[in-house]
Amino acid sequence: MKNFLIIANWKMQLSYNRSLVYTQEIAHALAHEAHQAEIVICPSYDALAGVKKIINNSSLYLGAQDCSAHAQGPYTGQIQSQSLAEIGCSYCIVGHSEMRALGQSNQEIVQKVNQLINVNIVPIICIGERTQSNNFLDELQDQLFPLITLLKTVSYKTIAIAYEPVWAIGSGITPSKQHIEQVFSYILTCWRNGNLAGQPTLIYGGSVDDKNLQSITTISNLSGLLVGGASLDSQKFKKIVRSCIIDKQ
Ligand code: PGA
């Protein structure tokens, strides 16, 4: 069941030194599990190369938390997708709600996806409604359609879409299983209607922890989890990974 993805989004919670120490701890704790699920560690930019060095001898994968919408140029403070590829990133999160809140537009996020496809990094595109409302699918549609328009014009391999309702992130509240399944089938319908090849890897994120996993892992079409807070405790994270491996076998 190596295809089930478990992504640890460390956000800006750890300093450079702490990131390296914690990577050693995680690599040790998950040495066995890393052969049974695809575990992706996403530290902040500064720690990417150092983390990569540590996980080189393990089966863990490296991911970034964002990238520039441009290939190169006068963009102070931004990071090239090419550099992420050279450092050894296999994945990159884009469109996280914490970045959208700083002003990233759907169009910009789609340009980032394009940059990542160009360097063979799997984009993990986060989408999610801001508040609990009845017309949440309209908000998701606005986030999805520019992506589908891009994917009609480029050749891609794997595309991961992480459904992360903003109200569920860091709140301890998770949507019902039916709600997540409704969103997943909506994404798949948009995909089919856009005549896109293959199927996206569908991920859920938002307050995933070792206690609410049981209902989450039985969601139809679920191929992965994006874990924030609970990925910062190696024992908790290990429990999450182990439950996924058992439930998805
Ligand atoms: P959380 O964060 O697991 O702490 O809710 C998830 C995320 O923001 O990706």
Side-chain angles (χ1 to χ4, degrees), residues 121-152:
I121 291 179
V122 176
I124 303 165
I125 304 116
C126 299
I127 62 167
E129 72 276 14
R130 271 163 298 195
T131 54
Q132 284 177 282
S133 78
N134 289 336
N135 46 5
F136 63 97
L137 288 181
D138 294 342
E139 213 173 324
L140 298 184
Q141 176 178 310
D142 291 345
Q143 297 170 351
L144 266 178
F145 276 28
L147 172 69
I148 292 185
T149 306
L150 166 81
L151 295 178
K152 283 182 188 171

Side-chain angles (χ1 to χ4, degrees), residues 3-242:
N3 286 339
F4 196 80
L5 260 184
I6 305 165
I7 304 148
N9 177 11
W10 291 354
K11 309 193 179 191
M12 200 190 71
Q13 300 288 14
L14 304 176
S15 71
Y16 172 76
N17 284 341
R18 271 295 301 144
S19 298
L20 301 194
V21 170
Y22 187 52
T23 301
Q24 258 149 356
E25 191 181 322
I26 284 265
H28 180 72
L30 297 173
H32 180 63
E33 289 75 12
H35 296 288
Q36 293 164 281
E38 193 140 328
I39 304 168
V40 185
I41 307 291
C42 302
S44 45
Y45 287 134
D46 52 315
L48 282 170
V51 167
K52 179 64 184 166
K53 251 191 205 164
I54 297 170
I55 63 173
N56 257 342
N57 296 325
S58 73
S59 297
L60 299 171
Y61 293 82
L62 186 69
Q65 297 178 13
D66 196 19
C67 70
S68 175
H70 307 279
Q72 73 168 104
Y75 303 104
T76 304
Q78 298 198 24
I79 309 278
Q80 289 186 10
S81 54
Q82 176 62 36
S83 301
L84 298 179
E86 288 170 11
I87 289 170
C89 289
S90 309
Y91 292 86
C92 180
I93 298 169
V94 290
H96 192 281
S97 61
E98 286 152 13
M99 298 305 293
R100 289 178 186 268
L102 296 178
Q104 283 188 7
S105 66
N106 286 318
Q107 218 42 55
E108 200 180 345
I109 291 160
V110 161
Q111 285 170 19
K112 290 169 189 263
V113 173
N114 197 22
Q115 297 301 339
L116 293 168
I117 291 172
N118 288 340
V119 296
N120 268 324
I121 291 179
V122 176
I124 303 165
I125 304 116
C126 299
I127 62 167
E129 72 276 14
R130 271 163 298 195
T131 54
Q132 284 177 282
S133 78
N134 289 336
N135 46 5
F136 63 97
L137 288 181
D138 294 342
E139 213 173 324
L140 298 184
Q141 176 178 310
D142 291 345
Q143 297 170 351
L144 266 178
F145 276 28
L147 172 69
I148 292 185
T149 306
L150 166 81
L151 295 178
K152 283 182 188 171
T153 65
V154 295
S155 137
Y156 57 86
K157 287 191 198 124
T158 308
I159 301 289
I161 300 182
Y163 171 54
E164 294 207 308
V166 182
W167 52 269
I169 295 176
S171 64
I173 307 167
T174 51
S176 67
K177 185 180 160 185
Q178 290 72 18
H179 180 95
I180 301 172
E181 285 179 341
Q182 184 185 356
V183 169
F184 281 1
S185 61
Y186 177 69
I187 296 171
L188 293 175
T189 303
C190 293
W191 202 265
R192 270 194 303 275
N193 292 346
N195 289 318
L196 297 181
Q199 205 171 301
T201 300
L202 295 176
I203 294 168
Y204 171 74
S207 291
V208 172
D209 66 25
D210 50 330
K211 310 228 162 50
N212 56 19
L213 265 182
Q214 227 146 33
S215 63
I216 292 176
T217 52
T218 59
I219 289 166
S220 325
N221 294 311
L222 181 81
S223 297
L225 295 173
L226 181 45
V227 188
S231 70
L232 295 165
D233 174 325
S234 62
Q235 288 315 310
K236 231 184 227 186
F237 191 55
K238 183 173 172 150
K239 271 194 199 160
I240 293 173
V241 173
R242 287 190 76 89

